[in-house]
Amino acid sequence: MLAKNREDFVVDYSANSNRTPSGPANDTGEDIVRAQHDAAKIARSQIRAQARAPRHRVNRKALGRTLQSIDIFAGALLAVVGVIAISGGQPGAVPAGELFPIVGFAALLPLMLSTLGLYRIEPRHAIIWRVTRAIIATASVGATMLIAGFGTAPDSIGILAIYCVVAVSAMTLLHMVYAGFIGHWAKAGRLARNIILVGATPNARKLIMANQGSGTINVVGYFDDRKSRAPTQLAGTPYLGTTDDLFNWSVLPDVDRVVLTVTPKAEERVKHLLEKLRALPQQVILLLDINGFNPETTSLDDIVGVHTARMSGEEENLGRVFAKRVQDIVFASLMTVAALPVMALIALLVKLDSRGPALFVQKREGFNGRPINVYKFRTMRHDPNAQSKKLRQVELNDPRVTRLGGFLRKTSLDELPQLFNVLAGSMSLVGPRPHAYGMRTGGTATANLVAEYAHRHRVKPGITGWAQINGSRGPLHTPEAARERIKWDVDYIARSGFWFDLWIMIKTVPALLGDRINIR
């Protein structure tokens, strides 16, 4: 039977199965149902292949803090220029009365901008509204400081007025530039989280409808295991298949959150889905309530962040992410400078030892399971067709390993080029080691051996890690070894921090040099 609403087109296969066969004599009702199922499966595969989620997104909270930092710096710079201009190049000679309005402008402006919500990035807000608020904030602070100048420095009111006009104009122009970038990124969908919904429920429909025109989140599609009850489109959002299809979906690495829209009252179904979805690297949240949503007073991002229960994954910590990135850049830069002569020598020796390039590039699993190119010094004999062959882990006395390659692997010097991965941002100094796509352990895909395997993708992969200094290095040839590696990786993610990372880096060299057991 067909639903009357074309948007919510549903094929009821149970009804079709009871029809009297028509057509060629060899057609049966089962054949028709099978053909319909096959056609629907092909259609879903095509829709999944065509689905796109915006990449290179901008974190709105981080952007707001960045703009605030720029404003503080710009205000301080204007204050310095103003003091130098008023003093004629002798800042120490400026009376306190003249100094007060200039310093006051630099101090009060970020507070006023924050009060008017200029550091809360909302994609649904028009550019003109953002610019208007910026003009109100800068002009009011400038006027206030000018009035204060009449009392503190009446003899210098002329030059203070010029300073206030210049400062207000400069800060307003700066916020017009901000507004232009924010508008461009909002239009491109880069300011919104990419989410997928699980469950064709009334809550899912409400969420999709509330999001239309807001640009707050990107609802890429929805999944539901009950194929016979899932419309091909739910309020304009495509049905992409079952949760089994979700795990094999090529766009999954670009998804930020998985929102389970099944009502919490359906306890058994929720429990079953959570057990299954827990294996994803993305944060999985259970939508509790969307009733009473008012787009004028509440961001839909708040709905997907507050009116939910986080069932899997860690809440994003911008401070920790920023600190770790600074740590990576500083330490990796120093290490790269120190290691450049060694890397140049190794590259030359690799070229002299065997035919082929000095560097080996392989696609591996990065943050959120995204593919990244990982660089290593080549330690095996060059095979131009290696990419098309079945992946095979290194074994003891592997004939593919060159003479120099054996030494490089034992000392882990072949990993040195990954410092460039760290500087580029695709890897970190410390984290779970990046595994190759399709890696197998004992003939079974490693990802299928451990339920928490995808959890290791919740942070960037590292050159070294907690598992490595605890003896879990090299290839994984048994399920037990795979489970042990993942256990250390998940434990690291729970404990990661600056001092813990530093401890792991310090322990890495003695742990590697003292290892005579693991195959590398």
Side-chain angles (χ1 to χ4, degrees), residues 45-55 57 194-196 218-221 223 240 245-258 280-282 367-371 437:
S45 298
Q46 292 173 340
I47 293 171
R48 279 197 304 276
Q50 294 168 0
R52 291 291 179 269
R55 305 185 69 180
R57 292 175 306 288
N194 291 334
I195 73 166
I196 53 173
N218 295 319
V219 184
V220 183
F223 292 79
L240 300 178
D245 298 320
L246 168 61
F247 280 85
N248 299 315
W249 189 33
S250 61
V251 182
L252 184 59
D254 296 319
V255 171
D256 300 303
R257 287 186 177 181
V258 177
L280 293 170
Q282 286 81 3
F367 175 73
N368 246 18
R370 293 189 183 100
Y437 278 93

Side-chain angles (χ1 to χ4, degrees), residues 73-96:
F73 175 79
L77 185 61
L78 285 169
V80 171
V81 171
V83 170
I84 293 174
I86 290 175
S87 66
Q90 296 180 333
V94 179

Side-chain angles (χ1 to χ4, degrees), residues 6 9 14 40 42 44 59 98 163 180 189 208 215 257 270 298 305 360 363 378 383 419 433-434 459:
R6 187 175 180 181
F9 173 77
S14 60
I42 293 171
R44 287 195 300 271
N59 186 294
E98 295 180 2
Y163 170 77
I208 296 167
R257 287 186 177 181
V270 169
T298 310
F360 172 70
K363 282 226 181 277
R378 181 174 56 83
D383 182 359
L419 287 169
R433 287 292 296 151
V459 296

Side-chain angles (χ1 to χ4, degrees), residues 313-465:
E314 293 297 320
E315 192 63 50
E316 186 178 42
N317 187 321
L318 290 178
R320 182 187 296 178
V321 172
F322 178 76
K324 188 169 179 66
R325 183 61 187 144
V326 171
Q327 169 189 317
D328 284 338
I329 291 173
V330 172
F331 282 102
S333 297
L334 296 173
M335 292 178 183
T336 301
V337 171
L340 274 176
V342 178
M343 286 196 278
L345 178 60
I346 293 174
L348 177 62
L349 293 175
V350 171
K351 291 290 290 183
L352 294 174
D353 182 57
S354 61
R355 295 171 57 186
L359 286 178
F360 172 70
V361 184
Q362 186 180 45
K363 282 226 181 277
R364 297 203 175 186
E365 298 171 325
F367 175 73
N368 246 18
R370 293 189 183 100
I372 59 172
N373 289 322
V374 173
Y375 302 103
K376 298 179 66 174
F377 284 118
R378 181 174 56 83
T379 58
M380 294 186 177
R381 305 189 189 285
H382 180 54
D383 182 359
N385 302 316
Q387 295 293 339
S388 61
K389 293 182 179 179
K390 188 177 179 180
L391 182 67
R392 178 180 147 208
Q393 296 193 69
V394 179
E395 301 170 351
L396 187 63
N397 299 321
D398 197 314
R400 297 172 297 168
V401 178
T402 63
R403 290 171 300 175
L404 178 63
F407 170 76
L408 294 177
R409 296 180 77 92
K410 285 179 182 178
T411 57
S412 291
L413 290 172
D414 61 323
E415 313 284 358
L416 282 177
Q418 288 166 32
L419 287 169
F420 297 111
N421 282 108
V422 175
L423 292 173
S426 59
M427 288 181 63
S428 182
L429 285 172
V430 181
R433 287 292 296 151
H435 287 175
Y437 278 93
M439 192 174 84
R440 303 181 74 81
T441 299
T444 303
T446 310
N448 295 335
L449 292 173
V450 189
E452 296 83 10
Y453 181 84
H455 293 194
R456 65 196 312 277
H457 299 146
R458 290 175 176 170
V459 296
K460 290 180 183 179
I463 296 179
T464 186

